[in-house]
Amino acid sequence: MSIKDLGVVLAHGAWADGSSWAKVITALDAEGITAVAAPLPLTSLKDDVAALNRTLDRVEGPIVLAGHAYAGAVIAEVRSPRVKALVYVAALAPDEGETVADVFYRAPPHPFAPTLAPDANGLIWLPESAFASAFAQCARAEDLAVLAAVQRPISPACIMVPVGRPLWKDVPAWFLVAEEDRMIPPAAQRSMAARMNAVVWTHAVDHTPIVTAPAKVADIIREAIRRVTPA
């Protein structure tokens, strides 16, 4: 089996959609690696896991599953035996019984991190100014414009529900720690990666390296693929 025989499924985080993975998809495609972005509704953790499972059903063969930010919790809830590795990109990794909010708010926030609260419809939006100040401060102006334009709000039902036994306890995991992250403190990322026994890659990147440093994200995904591909 070659690395081209593994499928890659990518899960986006809060305030984003599948287009946030576009540059990573292009980088992987250049090497003949097929990647599919799962569309998550961000309406509840249960809904997001169901949506991810529907995408997994569309991909044949063994899979490397990657999640950005909030999606770290989502990818760990799937139970498909075809998932051979998990890749966390500046992601949240609650343990069994914890909620996403537990790990997101455990460390003191960065001074530029936005204040988040549900709106009149019960949904949490990222303030537009926060894309440039905290979400992707290293992004180009045109990328920031797209990120703000396509953002999806997240429901509290995504982050307030305790998770089950995470899949990272049963399959190997990789973790890209974003040292310039202003949304999820780097210290929290390192702590989560350590208790997962993940292979840790550390880079001086912002919270959204899938947009601002896609080559580094593609590199860690390729490494996971190589490590789990049978000779």
Side-chain angles (χ1 to χ4, degrees):
M1 179 184 293
S2 73
I3 64 171
K4 297 180 182 180
D5 294 320
L6 267 82
V8 176
V9 175
L10 311 168
H12 63 83
W15 311 299
D17 66 7
S19 67
S20 60
W21 284 99
K23 295 181 181 181
V24 176
I25 292 169
T26 301
L28 295 173
D29 183 70
E31 296 192 21
I33 300 170
T34 300
V36 176
L40 305 184
L42 302 181
T43 48
S44 73
L45 181 61
K46 181 180 179 181
D47 291 347
D48 292 336
V49 174
L52 180 54
N53 279 325
R54 288 193 293 270
T55 300
L56 296 180
D57 288 343
R58 295 174 48 227
V59 178
E60 296 182 356
I63 294 169
V64 170
L65 184 53
H68 172 238
Y70 156 71
V74 181
I75 65 175
E77 288 287 288
V78 303
R79 296 294 179 261
S80 173
R82 294 189 297 118
V83 175
K84 303 303 181 184
L86 300 174
V87 178
Y88 286 73
V89 181
L92 293 163
D95 201 348
E96 185 171 6
E98 292 180 331
T99 70
V100 172
D102 288 337
V103 290
F104 183 70
Y105 290 109
R106 183 162 292 158
H110 188 278
F112 291 165
T115 300
L116 302 170
D119 67 4
N121 294 308
L123 299 173
I124 303 169
W125 293 85
L126 191 69
E128 187 168 345
S129 61
F131 284 97
S133 64
F135 192 79
Q137 71 269 18
C138 298
R140 301 177 302 173
E142 54 265 41
D143 291 327
L144 288 170
V146 172
L147 286 169
V150 305
Q151 79 153 305
R152 289 182 178 177
I154 187 169
S155 168
C158 295
I159 65 173
M160 303 301 292
V161 177
V163 304
R165 177 183 172 86
L167 187 60
W168 48 259
K169 292 189 174 183
D170 302 308
V171 303
W174 279 255
F175 201 118
L176 191 159
V177 174
E179 288 290 354
E180 302 299 327
D181 199 322
R182 296 177 180 177
M183 295 293 294
I184 302 174
Q189 295 181 39
R190 290 191 291 270
S191 176
M192 289 183 286
R195 73 177 181 179
M196 294 165 63
N197 293 316
V199 178
V200 177
W201 289 29
T202 301
H203 292 295
V205 294
D206 62 19
H207 176 66
T208 315
I210 58 178
V211 173
T212 61
K216 290 180 170 58
V217 177
D219 283 345
I220 192 171
I221 292 173
R222 281 192 293 265
E223 167 66 13
I225 293 171
R226 284 192 292 266
R227 291 278 294 271
V228 301
T229 301

